[in-house]
Amino acid sequence: NQDEVRRLYHQHTEATGQIFTEEAVNLAFHLTQGQPWLVNAIAKEITEYMAPDPAIPITVELINQAKEILIQRQDTHLDSLAERLREDRVRAIIQPILAGSELTDVPQDDIRYVLDLGLCTNQHGLQIANPIYQEVLPRVLTYTTSASIGYIQPIWLSNTGKFLPERLLDSFLDFWRQHGEPLFKSTPYPEIAPHLVLMAFLHRVVNGGGTLEREYAIGSGRMDICLRYGDVILGMELKVWREGRPDPLAEGLKQLDKYLSGLNLDTGWLVIFDRRPNLPPVSDRTTTEIAQSPDGRVITVIRG
């Protein structure tokens, strides 16, 4: 728990004199939710490599940097969790969580299995166990897809390196029409193949110096993505249009309002993946339009 994390870090302070600020301890607990390996790995990364000088206090900034290093490096612990994701009983639970859909009739033993693995928690409804795992899982699942993507000209950057969201949209539409559908087969979770292909594309974008944050929850009916690059923040929501269901546009605009409000943004993207049967190829049905949300935000709606 949070007090145990605080006491553990205080042992380091007593031994070396190097302090953890209270905000840093709180953030470390939030990111790890007390998972022992992660709690130790973050502190080890900082105290041994990033700030070995005991005179340097350990701050929120250092905790965040260590978190990013762990996620990108995927040490043995995170790598072993990644292997579990390909197990059918794990896929049956993780896939709907990522998609924001409801669980099918999965056996109770399978739910207990992901809880025992530490992949999920059921304290406030079934969800991924902590924010670090929440970032690691999609990155692992998009690894093969990312490797399958060839070179993409970074037209979303100006000559001075400024991020240009309107050019990112042009680049994504070209990519999606040409490569989107063929890449669906490279993903291990077919129900959310479009989500994973889009995220693989966005990983290429942020590798140049940005970050990608995701929010998803079982039964929410959506996945939210926040792309940060320099001083630009782009919020987007992913929805799926399934057979027998109405067009998710109205619901998506309403949900996106809430997400963008939390980011203090007045514009964003709503991406609707049409998964109904017997449709034209993705290359032919990918379109964009401008819509107004219930709260008056200007939203770029992408359908594909």
Side-chain angles (χ1 to χ4, degrees), residues 286-303:
T286 297
T287 62
T288 63
E289 60 183 299
I290 300 298
Q292 190 174 53
S293 72
D295 288 349
R297 290 181 173 85
V298 177
I299 306 299
T300 300
V301 180
I302 303 166
R303 295 180 181 270

Side-chain angles (χ1 to χ4, degrees), residues 93-106:
I93 293 168
I94 300 299
Q95 186 165 245
I97 290 178
L98 291 175
S101 56
E102 291 79 17
L103 282 181
T104 56
D105 186 22
V106 298

Side-chain angles (χ1 to χ4, degrees), residues 15-119:
T16 67
Q18 187 173 37
I19 67 167
F20 286 78
T21 68
E22 184 64 17
E23 294 79 10
V25 173
N26 293 341
L27 179 60
F29 177 75
H30 166 71
L31 293 172
T32 64
Q33 291 300 297
Q35 204 287 334
W37 187 90
L38 294 175
V39 170
N40 280 284
I42 282 180
K44 177 182 173 70
E45 188 66 32
I46 295 171
T47 59
E48 294 189 8
Y49 304 105
M50 298 170 60
D53 183 352
I56 300 174
I58 297 173
T59 61
V60 163
E61 289 73 20
L62 287 172
I63 297 288
N64 272 321
Q65 290 172 30
K67 179 256 304 186
E68 283 298 316
I69 290 170
L70 291 184
I71 289 173
Q72 292 173 17
R73 198 169 61 205
Q74 286 181 32
D75 289 348
T76 303
H77 168 82
L78 300 178
D79 212 31
S80 63
L81 287 180
E83 286 300 310
R84 301 287 192 178
L85 294 176
R86 294 185 176 272
E87 296 180 17
D88 289 341
R89 63 196 304 198
V90 174
R91 182 187 291 112
I93 293 168
I94 300 299
Q95 186 165 245
I97 290 178
L98 291 175
S101 56
E102 291 79 17
L103 282 181
T104 56
D105 186 22
V106 298
Q108 289 185 10
D109 283 350
D110 290 357
I111 296 177
R112 291 195 189 100
Y113 182 60
V114 297
L115 295 176
D116 291 344
L117 283 175
L119 274 173

Side-chain angles (χ1 to χ4, degrees), residues 114-126:
V114 297
L115 295 176
D116 291 344
L117 283 175
L119 274 173
C120 295
T121 178
N122 203 16
Q123 290 183 342
H124 306 288
L126 195 64

Side-chain angles (χ1 to χ4, degrees), residues 237 248-259 270 293-295:
E237 182 165 299
L249 175 63
E251 182 186 32
L253 290 172
K254 182 178 178 180
Q255 292 172 329
L256 186 54
D257 257 337
K258 184 177 179 180
Y259 185 57
L270 174 60
S293 72
D295 288 349

